[in-house]
Amino acid sequence: MPSAKKKDEEFTFVSPVVKYLLFFFNMLFWIIALFLISIGVYSRLVKHETVLACLTVDPALLLMIVGVLMFFITFCGCVGSLRENICLLQTFCIILTIIFLLQLVAGVLGFVFSDKFNCCGGISYMDWSQNMYFNCSEENPSRERCSVPFSCCLLSKEESVINTMCGHGMQVLKYDTAGAFINTNGCIDNVVNWIHSNLFLLGGIALGLAIPQLVGILLSQILINQIQDQIKLQNYNQQHHSDPWR
C-alpha cells in the first residue's frame, strides 16, 4: 500500500493557518516594540525634569523596557513558529505571560503613584503620621519626622531648582497653612472620581493591551500542542515502518 504510506507521511497535525498567523502576529508585535522604544527614547530626550525623579515609575522608562523585551521575545515567536521549535515557542509563551502580568503591575503602580491626582495620603496628608519614618512621635529619630513625601509637594514650573525637602515639617502645620506648600487632600476620593469619569477609557486601554497578548499566548500554545502531536505521529510511523512483522 505505497499510496497509503505516502499519505500517512504527508499528513501533519500542524496547521499552516496557526503557524503563519502566529508568525505575522509576532511581526506586528515586533513593529509595536520598535514604536514603544522610539517613543520612550524620544520622551527621555525631551524631558527637562531631573532624570532620577520617580525613575521607577517613569512612563518613558517603562515604555523602553517593555519595548526592548518585546523586541527580543518576538524573535523567539517568529523563529519558533517558522521552525516549529517547541523550546522557542514555550519560551515565547511563558515570557509573554510574565510580561502581561508585569504590565498589569506597572499600570497599577503608575496609576497609584501618578502626580496627576494632586493628592497626598489616603484621606488627607496627615495619614503619613502612620508611617514609621514620617510620624511625629518624640521617639522617632528619623530626619523625616513630621514630614510628608516629595510626591505631596506643590511644584511650580517657574522654579529652576526643585526643593526635594519641601514636605519637611508639614504635619505640624495647620491645614490651610500646609496647603500653600503641599497637596492636603487625600488620594482615595480623587482616584475614585477619576476612575468614574474615565471608566470607558481605562477599559479600552486594558482590552487593547490584553487581547493581543492573550491571542499570542493562545496561538503559541495551540501550535505547541500540534507540534507535540506531530512528533508522536512521526515516532509512531518510524516504529511501525521499522517493524518487519507488521
Side-chain angles (χ1 to χ4, degrees):
M1 301 289 291
S3 59
K5 178 180 178 181
K6 184 177 181 180
K7 183 178 294 187
D8 291 339
E9 292 177 351
E10 292 177 351
F11 176 79
T12 176
F13 283 102
V14 178
S15 171
V17 176
V18 176
K19 177 178 178 178
Y20 291 105
L21 187 61
L22 181 61
F23 171 77
F24 287 113
F25 170 85
N26 280 280
M27 286 294 297
L28 175 62
F29 254 76
W30 185 79
I31 296 173
I32 293 175
L34 289 177
F35 183 69
L36 292 178
I37 295 173
S38 301
I39 293 178
V41 172
Y42 176 77
S43 299
R44 291 304 307 167
L45 291 177
V46 299
K47 279 190 174 182
H48 298 291
E49 64 263 22
T50 55
V51 177
L52 296 179
C54 299
L55 188 61
T56 56
V57 293
D58 184 8
L61 184 63
L62 291 176
L63 283 176
M64 287 189 289
I65 293 175
V66 172
V68 170
L69 288 175
M70 294 306 298
F71 181 86
F72 289 104
I73 292 169
T74 50
F75 172 79
C76 294
C78 288
V79 177
S81 60
L82 288 179
R83 302 292 298 176
E84 299 180 11
N85 189 300
I86 292 181
C87 181
L88 289 177
L89 288 173
Q90 286 178 336
T91 301
F92 168 78
C93 184
I94 293 173
I95 299 182
L96 190 61
T97 303
I98 294 174
I99 287 184
F100 172 74
L101 297 176
L102 289 178
Q103 282 181 333
L104 292 180
V105 175
V108 172
L109 290 177
F111 179 76
V112 171
F113 292 105
S114 175
D115 57 359
K116 65 189 173 181
F117 296 111
N118 297 323
C119 58
C120 183
I123 306 301
S124 73
Y125 70 103
M126 293 301 296
D127 291 340
W128 285 103
S129 62
Q130 306 300 321
N131 186 284
M132 61 181 297
Y133 297 103
F134 297 108
N135 71 71
C136 286
S137 63
E138 296 181 357
E139 294 80 12
N140 183 12
S142 174
R143 293 184 178 181
E144 297 176 322
R145 178 177 174 269
C146 293
S147 302
V148 295
F150 170 72
S151 59
C152 294
C153 296
L154 296 173
L155 301 180
S156 175
K157 295 182 179 179
E158 299 177 355
E159 296 180 358
S160 58
V161 179
I162 297 178
N163 180 17
T164 58
M165 299 296 295
C166 57
H168 185 72
M170 289 294 112
Q171 292 187 49
V172 299
L173 301 179
K174 293 183 179 180
Y175 186 88
D176 294 338
T177 305
F181 304 97
I182 63 172
N183 295 301
T184 53
N185 294 327
C187 295
I188 294 179
D189 291 337
N190 290 6
V191 170
V192 171
N193 292 334
W194 190 87
I195 291 176
H196 286 166
S197 60
N198 296 275
L199 191 59
F200 289 104
L201 176 62
L202 291 174
I205 294 175
L207 288 176
L209 291 175
I211 291 178
Q213 291 176 324
L214 293 177
V215 169
I217 295 171
L218 179 62
L219 288 176
S220 60
Q221 194 58 52
I222 292 175
L223 186 56
I224 289 173
N225 293 336
Q226 292 178 347
I227 295 172
Q228 290 175 339
D229 291 337
Q230 182 65 21
I231 292 175
K232 292 178 182 179
L233 177 62
Q234 291 176 349
N235 292 335
Y236 172 80
N237 289 335
Q238 289 178 356
Q239 294 176 356
H240 179 77
H241 295 153
S242 62
D243 190 349
W245 299 102
R246 291 180 180 268

